[in-house]
Amino acid sequence: MRKRAEVFLFLFIGAFIGSNLRYLESLIFKPSNGFPLGTLVANLSGALVLPFLIHYLQDRFNLSSRVILTLSTGVLGSYTTFSTFTADTYRLFNTGQWLLLFIYLTLTIVGGFALAILGNYWAATQAFNDYAKKSREERS
């Protein structure tokens, strides 16, 4: 029971951080012309960071599953937002802003997938660079 309580506490702390980052980000990227730029930035940056977190930082720093859960589910889960994405999509649809709707859907879905691939590539490149550096140091 104690372990579950610790997990909830870590998630609570991560969610607190992520939701406050999301709020700060929404103040920086205010919607213009009805385009939900803040939600787009949050979701795309989360799509880039999550694979890097899972595939590089976890291995590089030997992070515990509790830390990964805190960062991925807690911080990134509360920072990114599918519910706001769907609400924004519906609002664009409902107001007949077809071009903005198409752009938003395309950037979010295709852009998110592309950034997830880029995040994996970033993780692999960083891991390779670390390995190469370690090899050079061992030869010296």
Side-chain angles (χ1 to χ4, degrees):
M1 185 66 167
R2 181 177 171 202
K3 188 172 183 170
R4 283 190 179 160
E6 286 178 2
V7 169
F8 279 110
L9 177 62
F10 280 106
L11 287 174
F12 177 79
I13 293 167
F16 175 79
I17 293 167
S19 61
N20 279 283
L21 285 172
R22 173 70 176 97
Y23 178 69
L24 177 64
E25 181 267 342
S26 74
L27 295 175
I28 295 168
F29 297 100
K30 294 184 181 191
S32 61
N33 300 330
F35 189 79
L37 184 59
T39 307
L40 181 67
V41 169
N43 289 337
L44 292 180
S45 60
L48 174 67
V49 171
L50 183 60
F52 184 77
L53 167 71
I54 291 172
H55 296 296
Y56 176 70
L57 294 179
Q58 181 177 14
D59 291 338
R60 173 70 170 93
F61 297 104
N62 197 26
L63 300 176
S64 70
S65 60
R66 198 173 317 161
V67 171
I68 292 298
L69 184 66
T70 300
L71 294 174
S72 62
T73 303
V75 175
L76 286 175
S78 63
Y79 171 70
T80 59
T81 172
F82 187 74
S83 58
T84 305
F85 162 71
T86 55
D88 290 339
T89 301
Y90 180 75
R91 184 183 44 77
L92 292 171
F93 172 81
N94 201 36
T95 57
Q97 296 178 305
W98 306 113
L99 180 60
L100 290 180
L101 175 62
F102 176 76
I103 292 169
Y104 185 54
L105 285 170
T106 301
L107 287 175
T108 301
I109 296 168
V110 176
F113 181 66
L115 285 170
I117 291 170
L118 184 62
N120 280 292
Y121 176 77
W122 179 26
T125 301
Q126 191 62 44
F128 178 78
N129 290 340
D130 289 352
Y131 175 76
K133 180 180 177 185
K134 184 177 177 182
S135 294
R136 282 191 304 272
E137 289 172 355
E138 289 175 355
R139 283 185 265 141
S140 300

Short mmCIF file of all heavy atoms in Angstrom, two decimals, residues 41-51 76 79-80:
data_model
loop_
_atom_site.label_atom_id
_atom_site.label_comp_id
_atom_site.label_asym_id
_atom_site.label_seq_id
_atom_site.Cartn_x
_atom_site.Cartn_y
_atom_site.Cartn_z
N VAL A 41 1.26 23.75 -29.72
CA VAL A 41 2.64 23.77 -29.21
C VAL A 41 2.82 22.74 -28.10
O VAL A 41 3.80 22.00 -28.07
CB VAL A 41 3.03 25.18 -28.74
CG1 VAL A 41 4.34 25.18 -27.98
CG2 VAL A 41 3.12 26.14 -29.93
N ALA A 42 1.87 22.67 -27.18
CA ALA A 42 1.96 21.72 -26.07
C ALA A 42 1.98 20.28 -26.59
O ALA A 42 2.83 19.48 -26.19
CB ALA A 42 0.80 21.92 -25.11
N ASN A 43 1.06 19.95 -27.48
CA ASN A 43 0.98 18.58 -27.97
C ASN A 43 2.17 18.19 -28.84
O ASN A 43 2.67 17.07 -28.75
CB ASN A 43 -0.35 18.36 -28.69
CG ASN A 43 -1.51 18.34 -27.73
OD1 ASN A 43 -1.35 18.06 -26.54
ND2 ASN A 43 -2.69 18.66 -28.22
N LEU A 44 2.64 19.11 -29.68
CA LEU A 44 3.78 18.79 -30.53
C LEU A 44 5.07 18.68 -29.72
O LEU A 44 5.88 17.79 -29.97
CB LEU A 44 3.93 19.81 -31.65
CG LEU A 44 2.83 19.81 -32.71
CD1 LEU A 44 3.10 20.87 -33.77
CD2 LEU A 44 2.66 18.44 -33.35
N SER A 45 5.27 19.57 -28.77
CA SER A 45 6.48 19.47 -27.95
C SER A 45 6.45 18.20 -27.10
O SER A 45 7.48 17.54 -26.92
CB SER A 45 6.66 20.71 -27.09
OG SER A 45 5.57 20.91 -26.21
N GLY A 46 5.29 17.81 -26.61
CA GLY A 46 5.17 16.56 -25.88
C GLY A 46 5.47 15.36 -26.75
O GLY A 46 6.10 14.39 -26.31
N ALA A 47 5.02 15.41 -28.01
CA ALA A 47 5.28 14.31 -28.95
C ALA A 47 6.77 14.16 -29.22
O ALA A 47 7.26 13.05 -29.46
CB ALA A 47 4.53 14.54 -30.26
N LEU A 48 7.51 15.25 -29.18
CA LEU A 48 8.96 15.21 -29.40
C LEU A 48 9.69 14.72 -28.16
O LEU A 48 10.59 13.88 -28.25
CB LEU A 48 9.47 16.61 -29.78
CG LEU A 48 10.99 16.77 -29.91
CD1 LEU A 48 11.50 15.98 -31.11
CD2 LEU A 48 11.35 18.23 -30.02
N VAL A 49 9.30 15.21 -27.00
CA VAL A 49 10.03 14.94 -25.77
C VAL A 49 9.79 13.53 -25.24
O VAL A 49 10.71 12.90 -24.71
CB VAL A 49 9.69 16.00 -24.70
CG1 VAL A 49 10.25 15.64 -23.34
CG2 VAL A 49 10.20 17.36 -25.15
N LEU A 50 8.57 13.01 -25.35
CA LEU A 50 8.26 11.70 -24.76
C LEU A 50 9.16 10.58 -25.27
O LEU A 50 9.74 9.85 -24.46
CB LEU A 50 6.79 11.34 -24.96
CG LEU A 50 6.35 10.03 -24.31
CD1 LEU A 50 6.56 10.06 -22.80
CD2 LEU A 50 4.90 9.74 -24.62
N PRO A 51 9.36 10.41 -26.58
CA PRO A 51 10.25 9.33 -27.01
C PRO A 51 11.70 9.55 -26.57
O PRO A 51 12.41 8.59 -26.24
CB PRO A 51 10.16 9.31 -28.53
CG PRO A 51 9.24 10.39 -28.92
CD PRO A 51 8.72 11.06 -27.71
N LEU A 76 4.32 15.19 -18.53
CA LEU A 76 3.90 15.29 -19.92
C LEU A 76 2.42 15.00 -20.10
O LEU A 76 1.76 15.58 -20.96
CB LEU A 76 4.73 14.38 -20.81
CG LEU A 76 6.16 14.85 -21.06
CD1 LEU A 76 6.95 13.81 -21.86
CD2 LEU A 76 6.20 16.20 -21.74
N TYR A 79 0.73 18.14 -19.18
CA TYR A 79 1.15 19.24 -20.06
C TYR A 79 0.47 19.15 -21.42
O TYR A 79 -0.06 20.12 -21.94
CB TYR A 79 2.67 19.24 -20.19
CG TYR A 79 3.20 20.19 -21.23
CD1 TYR A 79 3.14 21.57 -21.01
CD2 TYR A 79 3.76 19.73 -22.40
CE1 TYR A 79 3.63 22.46 -21.95
CE2 TYR A 79 4.26 20.62 -23.34
CZ TYR A 79 4.19 21.98 -23.11
OH TYR A 79 4.67 22.85 -24.06
N THR A 80 0.48 17.96 -22.01
CA THR A 80 -0.20 17.76 -23.29
C THR A 80 -1.67 17.53 -23.00
O THR A 80 -2.06 17.18 -21.90
CB THR A 80 0.38 16.55 -24.05
OG1 THR A 80 0.23 15.38 -23.25
CG2 THR A 80 1.85 16.77 -24.38
#
